[in-house]
Each structure stands twice: as structure tokens, then as C-alpha cells.
Amino acid sequence: MTEQDLRLEPDSFLSYLDPRRERILACFSFGVGLAEPQLSRIGRQLAQDFAELLSLHEAFLPIVEHFVVEAPEQEAHRFVVFHSLPETRLLVDAARRLGASLALSGRLVGEGTQLQLGANLLDVERRTLLAVAWVEVERESLPQAVVDLALQLLGRFGVERSPSMIDDAFQILGTKSFRSYLNWALACDLERESLLSDNPVPWARVVERLGFALEDDPTAAKPVRRLFELIEGQLLDEKALRQLYRSLERVNIRQPAVGLLAAEAARRVDELERAESALQGLLAAFPHNAQGHFLLAQLLEREHPARAKMHYRQAASLDPHKALYRSKIGD
């Protein structure tokens, strides 16, 4: 069967283009080969990322589903993944139970430096295969392939591929680096498997993976955002906090948040010299960061009041509208 055989007539897609008729789209974990366990982590992350990417179509309401089954012989839970067979009764029934009218499944297979990535979009109500996308790429180009395939699928539903749309898609994916994406997927999977098994999340390992993701791509947004959530939610114990600042010390500061996170993690375990060093590194890369000057001043205030005053003044001059900064030098 050719791709042409799978396509519907253009008129058949008109109902999918109406944003007033929202359709729930179930995105399932991508099937993977058995040779590389790490690919299964990416396969599960692909379900999450394709859900976010396909939400660029305003009529789609994507949800993510990772099927799980018990494996008594291994005394563990395992994720069930699909091997690019959207026409199977299992997938159709699963999507319907979720209240979805559409389903996305896919396949990721690796061999040497090559990866094969494919995705299928199915109307489970009509049992019709709506779109197929498939590409073979070098492993390092997987993030680009993910964006390309998502835009191919969206293109079937009237979403125009444009430079701004490509930028939006990469903002959603968070990185163009394969190694950064892999480590992000591994970090997310550590949380998934812990929640599934009711075991404590190994936060130090999660933080280490997020650090690796930033080390490979210092501009990656998602690892930074997740680390802020962990810090603000007070989910990290002392071991994880120490792992955090050690991991971020290896990261080239390309975004201020990296220095701020490292400093806050060190401060919370009373490693004040490390916290100061992190803020100094932040200000070396971003000398006009008001928050960095203010936090450094707070660290220096007791032992080095003159230096602290200088940084307070700098913070207030860089952000004169912030009352907190002005209060340290007088309005």
C-alpha cells in the first residue's frame, strides 16, 4: 500500500480543520526495538512531545497514555509500547476508552548510527488511517526529525509549515541536541517508573540526568524549567541538592537560570562559597543580570558589607522599578 493509497480525499479532512469541533487525540508510547533499552525511554518521551507538538493544531486536544502491565516473573511493571500498528483492535479500544476519537502511534528503531522514526495518525471512530510519516536519520538528527514528522502530520490538517511554526515546534521540543534530548527523556522516565512502582523518586539521579542534558545543550529550556519546579516544590533532599550544584558546575552558563539554580542549591545546604562562585560565574556571563547582583549582595552582606552595597546598587540601577532592590539602598 502506498502513501497515496492511504490518503483521504481533501473534502474528508474538512471536519478536522474546524477549531470549534475539538477532537481528543490519544498519543501512545512509540514502539522500539529490543536492542537498545534507552530507546524505550525516548519512545515514551516521544508520546509526550508529539502530544505537545500536535497541539499546535487548535482543534486537537492531545492526551498522553503509557500503557502498563505487570510482569510477575520480573516483579516489576513495564510499559507496553506499540509497533506502528494503528489498525489493531487493542489501540482502537484503548483510544475509545480514553474518550479519544484520534490516536497517534509510532515506531523508533535504531541500528548503529541510524534511526528510523515513523508515526501514524488514526481516526478510531471511522477506523481510518489519516496520515503516515516516516524518516530515516542519523541519530544526532533525531530532534530535527521529530519536528519534521510532527509538521508533516499537521500539514495534512491545514497547519502551514513556516519559519515561525518551526521555531514554535523547537521551543516545544526544547533542544536540537540528541544527547540533551536523550538525557531529558531518561530523567523524565526515572520519575515515571517511580510513580508507577510507588517507590520514592531517585531525585539525585533525576537531577544528574537533567545536568547532563544541560551540559550537552546549555540553552535547553525544559531541564531548567523542571529544576526550578523541583527547587520551588522543595522536592530535593540534601543529596539531590548537592548533586544539583555539582552537575551545574560543569555547565557552560548560556542562560542566567543555570547560575541561579546552582547558587540556590548550594545555599540551601550551606555551601556558601559554592553559591558565591555560582553567582560570580553568572555575572561573568551576564553582567547586567539584576537578580544575580542582588543575590550575591545578600551572600556578602554579613562578611563583606562594602562589596554587598556595591552589588545592591548595581541591582537597583539595572532594575530601578523593583522596590526590593531600591529598599537596600534607600528610595
Side-chain angles (χ1 to χ4, degrees):
M1 181 177 291
T2 68
E3 183 179 353
Q4 186 64 39
D5 294 326
L6 293 170
R7 289 184 177 177
L8 299 179
E9 292 299 321
D11 289 347
S12 301
F13 280 88
L14 293 180
S15 64
Y16 300 103
L17 306 180
D18 186 356
R20 295 169 297 179
R21 185 182 177 186
E22 295 178 333
R23 293 173 177 270
I24 298 176
L25 165 62
C27 296
F28 295 96
S29 297
F30 278 45
V32 299
L34 299 178
E36 293 191 63
Q38 286 188 338
L39 285 185
S40 65
R41 272 72 172 174
I42 295 181
R44 294 191 279 272
Q45 189 58 38
L46 286 173
Q48 182 70 48
D49 289 328
F50 267 92
E52 293 187 51
L53 289 164
L54 293 178
S55 68
L56 290 170
H57 188 312
E58 57 186 350
F60 289 168
L61 294 175
I63 58 176
V64 181
E65 179 63 22
H66 301 293
F67 274 102
V68 296
V69 294
E70 290 190 15
E73 70 282 0
Q74 299 179 13
E75 298 182 353
H77 288 78
R78 290 292 179 265
F79 290 87
V80 176
V81 293
F82 297 97
H83 294 269
S84 199
L85 299 174
E87 68 277 11
T88 62
R89 168 57 62 180
L90 175 63
L91 189 57
V92 169
D93 290 347
R96 287 175 174 171
R97 285 198 302 270
L98 293 168
S101 59
L102 302 174
L104 178 85
S105 69
R107 187 181 184 204
L108 178 67
V109 180
E111 184 175 349
T113 62
Q114 294 292 115
L115 289 176
Q116 294 178 342
L117 176 65
N120 304 304
L121 191 57
L122 174 73
D123 185 326
V124 299
E125 294 176 341
R126 300 167 61 186
R127 295 182 62 82
T128 304
L129 186 59
L130 300 178
V132 177
W134 179 264
V135 67
E136 182 172 335
V137 295
E138 290 289 328
R139 190 173 297 247
E140 298 298 322
S141 300
L142 178 63
Q144 179 70 56
V146 171
V147 168
D148 287 343
L149 258 67
L151 294 181
Q152 281 186 44
L153 295 174
L154 288 169
R156 298 295 306 278
F157 300 91
V159 177
E160 182 180 354
R161 185 187 182 103
S162 64
S164 62
M165 180 64 68
I166 295 172
D167 289 342
D168 289 344
F170 273 114
Q171 285 293 321
I172 289 173
L173 199 64
T175 184
K176 296 182 180 181
S177 163
F178 170 76
R179 292 184 183 278
S180 182
Y181 186 75
L182 170 62
N183 280 295
W184 165 250
L186 293 174
C188 292
D189 217 53
L190 285 169
E191 294 192 47
R192 289 190 194 105
E193 292 193 335
S194 296
L195 294 173
L196 175 64
S197 61
D198 292 325
N199 291 325
V201 179
W203 290 119
R205 292 175 60 199
V206 171
V207 164
E208 183 179 37
R209 283 295 174 185
L210 294 174
F212 288 152
L214 283 168
E215 195 173 352
D216 288 312
D217 179 6
T219 67
K222 285 187 172 180
V224 166
R225 187 159 57 244
R226 184 57 181 150
L227 288 171
F228 265 113
E229 292 170 352
L230 298 180
I231 286 277
E232 291 175 353
Q234 298 185 351
L235 296 174
L236 303 184
D237 58 15
E238 181 175 340
K239 179 181 178 182
L241 288 168
R242 291 183 181 278
Q243 179 62 58
L244 175 54
Y245 69 66
R246 285 197 299 268
S247 293
L248 294 184
E249 283 176 344
R250 300 193 298 267
V251 176
N252 181 18
I253 298 180
R254 298 281 300 279
Q255 47 184 323
V258 170
L260 295 174
L261 281 166
E264 179 61 14
R267 185 193 68 80
R268 291 194 180 198
V269 293
D270 293 324
E271 292 278 0
L272 300 186
E273 289 186 3
R274 285 181 179 269
E276 180 181 345
S277 176
L279 290 171
Q280 294 284 12
L282 160 63
L283 292 174
F286 297 92
H288 302 299
N289 184 274
Q291 188 176 6
H293 283 286
F294 182 81
L295 295 176
L296 182 55
Q298 286 189 311
L299 285 178
L300 296 172
E301 194 167 24
R302 178 177 295 182
E303 300 294 333
H304 305 282
R307 289 176 58 198
K309 195 70 172 180
M310 178 187 70
H311 285 288
Y312 279 135
R313 289 196 185 97
Q314 189 72 1
S317 67
L318 289 168
D319 192 354
H321 300 294
K322 193 152 189 172
L324 178 62
Y325 296 170
R326 295 198 311 269
S327 68
K328 292 297 184 176
I329 61 172
D331 293 332

